[in-house]
Amino acid sequence: MDKLIITGGNPLKGEIPVAGAKNAALPILAAGLLTADPVTIRNVPKLADIRTLSKLLAGMGAKCERDENGVVSIDAGGVTNPEAPYDLVKTMRASILVLGPLVARFGQAKVSLPGGCAIGQRPVDQHIKGLQALGAEITVEGGYIHAKARRLQGTTLRTDMITVTGTENLLMAATLAQGTTVIENAAREPEVTDLAHLLVKMGARIEGIGTDRLVIEGVDKLHGAEHSVLPDRIEAGTFLCAVAAAGGDVTLTHAAPDTMGATLDKLREAGLHLQIGSNTIHATMHHRPRAVSFRTVEYPGFATDMQAQLMAVNCVAEGAATISEHIFENRFMHVQELIRLGANISIDGHTAVVQGVSKLTGAPVMATDLRASASLVIAGLCAQGETLVDRIYHLDRGYDRMEQKLSAVGAQIRRVS
């Protein structure tokens, strides 16, 4: 099992290219199931989750090929097995995203229930209720969702909560439904918008893109298209947090600053100096950060996927900060590992209070989930001595060669088996 060894204390200096967004690429790849024509997707990050979904599509009979430039070609013309088995779904909850496209195009699907998740329940009942409202017959047996429909019928959908993957699944399904579908309370995340832009290129008729009310006029079939995945705002935010904590002078290239408003606001508040270009972010930090309080909410608020990373910055900041987590009920598991490095953090329910300390000290720590692992890397970069981060397969699910990108800007970080 791979681990990262980090020797802290080096300020970061140089350029870091931002990869394509994992949370956009996954639903976009699933959308390839909606047509028998080839779909070409550019700027796809090289991640474990992408490999899992590609394997899932291939198991159904789709051709899914990737070249060395991050271009993935999908040809779902030969799909004969509309099933997502447990052995793949259990490793990545986003596999549920194939449910809507399969029912919409093939009239049937058998998709494993995702199972448990380290950071919270993340129920799929909103996906099921939405597809039932569109006319699908759904049963859950033996740990699988079985769905059938002659053709989905447009309707008005109102989810009980804002759900990103739920919005994406129902949006994809509605593109091939008969009549008009309205999705109220839709998620507004940039990744949902990116998916919608691809669907329009494929021939879908969608109004309200980027708002919480999507109106979809169903069409008989979709066709092939080409699309480039938007830059990953969470990866970009993670590297900015690394600069804020460890200090330095770094320029992010291939970024999308217009999707990062809440993150950039909080990092400025922490004292990070930012110069924003159309697709670049120049960050400098030459002093100790200031403590920043925040609460996680749906987009365009502060993202739950950035909570652990900004907490790591607060660990070495001047002053105290209060962090409230309102998206997932179990997303403070990185706290105990940060405490092992010398952080001063107390938790009361959904709230963490971080009292900044003047220094962290390297120690062996263990990653518990994707963003938690990123927070431990950030903490290790500014800790005195050596930090060993175990179970970094979590990190590889969402970051494209993080240790190589950080090494290129002066970090002492290496991967060992």
Side-chain angles (χ1 to χ4, degrees):
M1 190 180 295
D2 285 3
K3 304 173 184 179
L4 289 178
I5 297 177
I6 307 166
T7 302
N10 287 8
L12 309 177
K13 185 175 178 60
E15 286 191 1
I16 300 178
V18 178
K22 172 184 85 85
N23 290 339
L26 292 171
I28 282 172
L29 293 179
L33 292 168
L34 288 165
T35 177
D37 298 339
V39 176
T40 301
I41 310 300
R42 306 183 186 281
N43 200 33
V44 178
K46 191 175 182 180
L47 305 171
D49 277 8
I50 299 296
R51 290 193 295 272
T52 298
L53 189 59
S54 299
K55 191 182 299 183
L56 182 59
L57 296 176
M60 297 177 186
K63 295 178 182 177
C64 192
E65 300 174 348
R66 179 194 180 99
D67 70 14
E68 66 277 3
N69 297 316
V71 179
V72 174
S73 301
I74 304 167
D75 185 342
V79 170
T80 57
N81 180 34
E83 178 177 342
Y86 173 69
D87 62 337
L88 287 176
V89 176
K90 71 179 180 181
T91 65
M92 185 184 69
R93 293 186 59 89
S95 302
I96 193 71
L97 287 165
V98 302
L99 179 61
L102 289 176
V103 179
R105 180 171 161 223
F106 299 100
Q108 60 177 318
K110 180 183 177 184
V111 178
S112 172
L113 287 168
C117 178
I119 62 172
Q121 294 298 314
R122 298 214 246 186
V124 297
D125 61 322
Q126 299 302 305
H127 304 242
I128 293 173
K129 289 178 182 177
L131 289 171
Q132 286 174 326
L134 289 167
E137 297 178 10
I138 297 182
T139 58
V140 180
E141 298 175 354
Y144 279 82
I145 302 168
H146 300 260
K148 290 185 179 180
R150 287 190 177 179
R151 185 178 182 186
L152 298 175
Q153 301 295 313
T155 187
T156 297
L157 304 171
R158 298 180 185 87
T159 55
D160 297 338
M161 64 191 77
I162 297 175
T163 161
V164 174
T165 54
T167 298
E168 292 164 343
N169 232 338
L170 299 175
L171 172 61
M172 289 188 281
T175 61
L176 294 177
Q178 187 171 34
T180 302
T181 300
V182 179
I183 304 177
E184 306 275 9
N185 203 28
R188 299 164 56 191
E189 271 70 6
E191 295 78 16
V192 177
T193 297
D194 205 32
L195 169 64
H197 288 319
L198 165 67
L199 294 172
V200 169
K201 291 178 183 178
M202 295 171 67
R205 298 173 182 170
I206 307 170
E207 295 181 3
I209 294 174
T211 76
D212 61 1
R213 186 176 189 269
L214 297 173
V215 180
I216 307 101
E217 185 68 38
V219 297
D220 291 333
K221 63 182 295 187
L222 297 177
H223 52 72
E226 292 192 13
H227 185 75
S228 184
V229 175
L230 90 166
D232 196 321
R233 62 193 172 104
I234 305 302
E235 184 190 58
T238 299
F239 287 129
L240 292 178
C241 284
V243 179
D249 185 332
V250 170
T251 299
L252 302 186
T253 61
H254 309 294
D258 58 332
T259 66
M260 298 175 60
T263 296
L264 298 180
D265 288 348
K266 286 298 174 183
L267 286 169
R268 284 193 184 97
E269 193 179 327
L272 185 65
H273 183 262
L274 297 171
Q275 292 177 286
I276 308 298
S278 59
N279 63 353
T280 61
I281 304 173
H282 180 212
T284 54
M285 189 70 149
H286 300 298
H287 53 80
R288 187 177 173 188
R290 295 186 294 269
V292 176
S293 296
F294 62 95
R295 55 183 286 157
T296 63
V297 290
E298 293 84 0
Y299 190 86
F302 193 88
T304 181
D305 277 357
M306 282 301 306
Q307 177 254 107
Q309 299 92 307
L310 190 50
M311 180 184 286
V313 177
N314 276 326
C315 287
V316 293
E318 194 169 358
T322 301
I323 299 170
S324 299
E325 173 61 58
H326 291 271
I327 304 298
F328 293 122
E329 70 276 8
N330 196 24
R331 204 160 199 177
F332 282 147
M333 292 191 297
H334 47 283
V335 167
Q336 293 305 317
E337 301 304 304
L338 290 170
I339 289 173
R340 285 178 53 79
L341 297 171
N344 182 352
I345 309 171
S346 58
I347 300 176
D348 183 6
H350 294 280
T351 301
V353 177
V354 185
Q355 178 68 56
V357 297
S358 59
K359 69 171 184 176
L360 298 176
T361 304
V365 290
M366 181 178 69
T368 53
D369 62 68
L370 170 55
R371 306 307 173 185
S373 56
S375 75
L376 298 179
V377 171
I378 292 168
L381 291 174
C382 55
Q384 291 185 357
E386 188 173 275
T387 299
L388 186 147
V389 185
D390 202 353
R391 294 174 65 179
I392 60 167
Y393 57 84
H394 290 295
L395 192 75
D396 294 336
R397 287 186 47 232
Y399 292 94
D400 185 357
R401 298 167 291 122
M402 177 184 266
E403 75 280 3
Q404 293 180 31
K405 291 182 177 182
L406 287 171
S407 292
V409 294
Q412 280 192 260
I413 178 172
R414 59 190 173 94
R415 180 183 292 249
V416 296
S417 297

